[in-house]
Amino acid sequence: MLAIFDKSVAKAPEGLKSPHSDSVSALKDGFLVQHFSSVHPGSININLGGVGGSMGYSTDKQNPLLPRLFAVVGDIFCLFQGHIENIAVLKQQYGLNKTANEVIIVIEAYRTLRDRGPYPANQVVRDLNGKFAFILYDSSSKATFIAADADGNVPFFWGTDCEDNVVLSDDAEVVKKACGKSFAPFPKGCFFTTSGGLRSFEHPLNELKAMPRVDSSGEVCGATYKVDADSKKEAGMPRVGSAANWSSHY
C-alpha cells in the first residue's frame, strides 16, 4: 500500500526529515505512484484531487496472514493491512452487518469519531485487537487518520520528500525511493491525525520525543519516537455535537 499526502494535509513530525536527505518530489509528474505501479503490477492508483495527494493499492506479494484491503465509503478512502481479532465485537459496537471487514470497521470508527465523538481517538485505536496498520483520508475535510498496532506486527514505513510531503507504505524501498534518508518505521502503538499530529494511543497524555536513527554508514536517517514519561499533553478530545467535525477538534 502507498499514500502520499501534501504537506498541507499531513505535516510530518519534527525529526523525521534527515539533515543528510537525498529526497526527491514524490508527487511531481506522478513519480512515486508510477514507481509503485512498476514494482507492484496490477496496482490500483487513486488521485485524491486538489492538494490531497495520491494512494496506491496492490495485492501483489502480500502476506496471506496480513492481507491488504482497500475501500471507499463516501468521501473516505482507507487502506488497511493485517487482521483484527475482535471483529465480531466491533461489528456489533458500530452497528455493522456480518459482511463488514476490517477496512469497513476502521472507516465506520472514524466516521463515529468525526460526527459524534463518543470516545477519544486513542481509545478507538486501542479497541482494535490484532495485527494492523491503516491509512485513512477524508477528502471532505482533508484529514488523515493513520495508525499501527502496539507491537508493530505489520511492516509500515513513513518519510518526507524534498517538498515535505508525507509518504507512507508497507514497502520500505518505495518510501526510500522518494524520501532518501528521511524515512523510518512508523512508530508502533501510535496514531497520526492531521490536526493532532503523532500520538501514542497507549500513553495518550504523554508527548513523543524524536530519537535520531543512524544508518550503517553513520548518517542520521529519519527518527524513531519514544514516549516521554516526563511530559504531559492536555487531557483528551472534547465531545462534539453531531453537526461538528471531529477532525477540527483533535
Side-chain angles (χ1 to χ4, degrees):
M1 57 184 181
L2 169 69
I4 311 162
F5 294 120
D6 185 272
K7 61 186 176 183
S8 65
V9 170
K11 183 179 179 181
E14 183 180 351
L16 187 57
K17 187 168 186 175
S18 168
H20 306 291
S21 178
D22 51 351
S23 59
V24 299
S25 174
L27 287 172
K28 186 177 180 181
D29 300 323
F31 165 71
L32 196 58
V33 168
Q34 291 180 20
H35 173 71
F36 180 79
S37 297
S38 70
V39 296
H40 297 287
S43 63
I44 298 171
N45 302 312
I46 305 97
N47 186 333
L48 299 174
V51 297
S54 300
M55 279 182 159
Y57 165 73
S58 172
T59 58
D60 179 54
K61 302 173 186 175
Q62 74 174 350
N63 181 341
L65 299 178
L66 300 171
R68 303 185 194 108
L69 299 168
F70 173 68
V72 182
V73 178
D75 294 325
I76 302 171
F77 300 76
C78 188
L79 292 162
F80 180 97
Q81 184 170 353
H83 69 87
I84 295 174
E85 295 169 359
N86 60 331
I87 191 169
V89 173
L90 294 171
K91 286 179 185 179
Q92 184 176 18
Q93 179 177 328
Y94 291 111
L96 296 168
N97 61 40
K98 293 181 179 180
T99 62
N101 59 13
E102 285 92 340
V103 70
I104 297 299
I105 286 173
V106 170
I107 290 174
E108 190 58 34
Y110 169 80
R111 288 206 302 185
T112 300
L113 281 168
R114 183 191 67 181
D115 300 336
R116 297 190 293 278
Y119 309 111
N122 59 78
Q123 182 64 52
V124 170
V125 182
R126 197 158 57 238
D127 284 346
L128 304 176
N129 298 330
K131 301 178 179 181
F132 65 85
F134 66 79
I135 306 166
L136 181 147
Y137 176 68
D138 180 351
S139 63
S140 65
S141 57
K142 293 184 170 52
T144 60
F145 187 29
I146 302 158
D149 69 59
D151 296 318
N153 289 294
V154 176
F156 195 34
F157 307 89
W158 67 340
T160 60
D161 71 1
C162 68
E163 298 176 334
D164 293 331
N165 301 315
V166 172
V167 177
L168 303 107
S169 180
D170 60 329
D171 186 335
E173 295 304 315
V174 168
V175 177
K176 286 193 283 187
K177 188 74 174 179
C179 302
K181 294 185 182 299
S182 293
F183 96 102
F186 188 87
K188 59 186 180 181
C190 291
F191 69 102
F192 176 91
T193 63
T194 292
S195 54
L198 185 66
R199 301 278 299 274
S200 165
F201 61 76
E202 294 186 300
H203 305 280
L205 298 183
N206 292 86
E207 299 279 357
L208 290 171
K209 182 187 296 185
M211 308 293 289
R213 296 171 65 241
V214 178
D215 65 12
S216 57
S217 62
E219 292 187 344
V220 176
C221 182
T224 56
Y225 295 86
K226 304 293 184 183
V227 172
D228 186 347
D230 297 324
S231 65
K232 297 286 186 180
K233 286 179 172 286
E234 293 182 6
M237 179 184 68
R239 186 182 296 269
V240 297
S242 60
N245 186 338
W246 159 76
S247 63
S248 67
H249 289 264
Y250 193 67

